[in-house]
Amino acid sequence: KKLIITADDFGATKEINQGIQQAILASRITSVSLMVDLPYFAKAVRFLKQHPQIAVGLHFNLTEGELRRSLLHTITSLAFGLLSTQNVKDELLRQYKKLKKTGLSISHIDSHENIHIFPPIFKLMYDFAEQYQIPRLRACPFSIGQLGMMRNTLPTLKQLFLWTAHGCNYSLFFKHKKRKKCIPSYIFDLNWHNDFTSKHISQLFSHLPSGTTEIICHLSSTVTPDPLSYDRHKCLSCLLGADFGKILKLSTSFSLL
């Protein structure tokens, strides 16, 4: 069993940067995904250059920041031909080159609000990862019930959309066995439901499936309004808690990537 712990949205705000930096300094995460066009990107890069043990990826963004569309607007624009896949590819290449220019090694790509799970963008990003030899693409199904965390909360419409999109990707793409870039095998998002506790995290760790699992987190150093309704500060508090640290230190059932 292998485990990746990734903090998304690095570079977005001062508070998000501070939260992620605290988690890195406490050895609670192994990986980050960077948003290259948001205000604190440069500071995030400077910090990462001092911590080369952290894997760095591109958090491809079409939905937040200046001149960006909402998730629904982006998907409907693609569906009705108002936004072409070539436009998306050009934007992906621009953001990739901006990150590459920093000199940081790029280990993976994923996307803000998981927009790359929409099948036309997914195929484009898979081909892009192959072309530019990016080792890892977040492309497996989320655990819609957070099975390892023993959750019984009903999924939201957005979560149901992600699962439907994953089903389309599987039938249209994975049946051709093009899966070598699609690592990890399982994903859990700690912010999937905001009522999680350190107990839920402990249960997740004790029920990790075989293969590679990625745990995604969204962090902030302070309690601030969040457009995605994430309780980022609570998530950081759980990661920094003694229970989480003890699990990482003592567990022999998995290895960190």
Side-chain angles (χ1 to χ4, degrees):
K1 298 178 181 180
K2 298 180 180 179
L3 179 66
I4 302 164
I5 308 176
T6 301
D8 282 357
D9 303 342
F10 205 15
T13 70
K14 178 181 178 181
E15 293 78 14
I16 288 173
N17 274 23
Q18 289 174 341
I20 293 174
Q21 288 167 9
Q22 288 178 40
I24 290 173
L25 293 173
S27 300
R28 297 298 201 265
I29 60 176
T30 63
S31 170
V32 296
S33 292
L34 279 159
M35 302 181 79
V36 302
D37 289 330
L38 294 191
Y40 287 82
F41 167 69
K43 291 187 176 180
V45 169
R46 286 197 293 271
F47 182 86
L48 288 170
K49 288 184 175 180
Q50 298 171 10
H51 300 275
Q53 78 279 11
I54 300 298
V56 176
L58 173 65
H59 202 49
F60 179 48
N61 174 32
L62 288 173
T63 62
E64 188 169 331
E66 188 176 0
L67 300 178
R68 295 289 191 261
R69 302 169 169 87
S70 69
L71 178 63
L72 179 60
H73 186 186
T74 301
I75 291 171
T76 54
S77 295
L78 278 164
F80 290 101
L82 302 176
L83 177 66
S84 71
T85 53
Q86 185 60 50
N87 295 146
V88 175
K89 184 176 181 179
D90 291 345
E91 180 61 17
L92 175 60
L93 179 60
R94 184 191 67 78
Q95 292 184 29
Y96 171 79
K97 285 183 174 179
K98 186 172 181 178
L99 181 56
K100 190 73 173 176
K101 191 176 180 180
T102 67
L104 293 169
S105 178
I106 301 174
S107 70
H108 61 278
I109 54 174
D110 47 51
S111 66
H112 193 52
E113 299 193 71
N114 295 292
I115 196 167
H116 73 288
I117 301 305
F118 186 56
I121 301 180
F122 175 75
K123 183 180 186 309
L124 182 155
M125 286 187 65
Y126 186 98
D127 292 343
F128 186 90
E130 284 206 318
Q131 180 180 353
Y132 289 92
Q133 299 182 325
I134 302 168
R136 176 161 54 94
L137 170 65
R138 182 186 293 166
C140 65
F142 284 76
S143 173
I144 200 163
Q146 293 285 266
L147 299 178
M149 295 175 77
M150 305 303 179
R151 312 311 299 279
N152 295 314
T153 309
L154 292 174
T156 65
L157 288 175
K158 181 178 177 180
Q159 292 162 357
L160 286 171
F161 165 76
L162 288 175
W163 258 68
T164 302
H166 272 301
C168 292
N169 289 332
Y170 187 87
S171 62
L172 296 174
F173 195 70
F174 289 152
K175 67 180 180 181
H176 301 299
K177 299 182 180 181
K178 294 180 68 176
R179 302 194 64 162
K180 59 185 179 180
K181 292 287 181 185
C182 301
I183 305 169
S185 307
Y186 307 94
I187 294 176
F188 294 91
D189 190 332
L190 293 185
N191 300 87
W192 195 270
H193 302 292
N194 284 327
D195 61 343
F196 63 87
T197 65
S198 57
K199 179 182 178 181
H200 293 129
I201 295 176
S202 178
Q203 290 174 332
L204 167 60
F205 275 63
S206 64
H207 291 81
L208 286 177
S210 298
T212 301
T213 298
E214 181 178 18
I215 294 178
I216 305 166
C217 54
H218 301 82
L219 309 175
S220 174
S221 61
T222 60
V223 179
T224 54
D226 188 86
L228 300 180
S229 300
Y230 291 150
D231 193 337
R232 295 174 182 263
H233 183 63
K234 181 178 180 180
C235 190
L236 176 64
S237 297
C238 282
L239 289 191
L240 297 181
D243 291 343
F244 190 85
K246 184 177 180 180
I247 293 169
L248 289 181
K249 185 175 182 180
L250 299 180
S251 180
T252 58
S253 64
F254 60 85
S255 58
L256 289 170
L257 290 180

